Amino acid sequence: MSMDKLKVGVVYGGKSGEHEVSLQTAFAVTNAFDYEKYELVPFYISKQGTWKKDLSCMRRSRRLKI
């Protein structure tokens, strides 16, 4: 019998001066995440305040080494 995965939201980015730090933290969280137990639902907030439901913005960050 399989169990449904619990959905967990990760909100990252934002209009703050800590935008890049938030991207790095979200990257670390997604790498340590147990995908067998949980379904990750990422929510990116741009520097302008626009919300997007994806992880692609983390991959485009110049400071992250993916």
Side-chain angles (χ1 to χ4, degrees):
M1 172 186 281
S2 76
M3 293 177 36
D4 290 336
K5 294 180 183 180
L6 182 65
K7 288 186 181 183
V8 176
V10 175
V11 180
Y12 65 101
K15 295 170 75 172
S16 164
E18 298 293 316
H19 181 88
E20 296 296 325
V21 173
S22 180
L23 297 183
Q24 293 175 350
T25 302
F27 178 71
V29 167
T30 59
N31 281 332
F33 204 74
D34 186 349
Y35 290 94
E36 291 187 25
K37 290 174 103 177
Y38 305 100
E39 178 183 346
L40 181 91
V41 182
F43 296 96
Y44 169 72
I45 306 171
S46 73
K47 290 182 179 180
Q48 293 75 33
T50 304
W51 285 61
K52 296 181 182 179
K53 185 180 169 189
D54 67 18
L55 287 171
S56 64
C57 300
M58 252 193 298
R59 293 184 203 109
R60 288 192 293 256
S61 174
R62 285 180 252 151
R63 294 186 185 187
L64 296 178
K65 295 176 183 159
I66 300 175

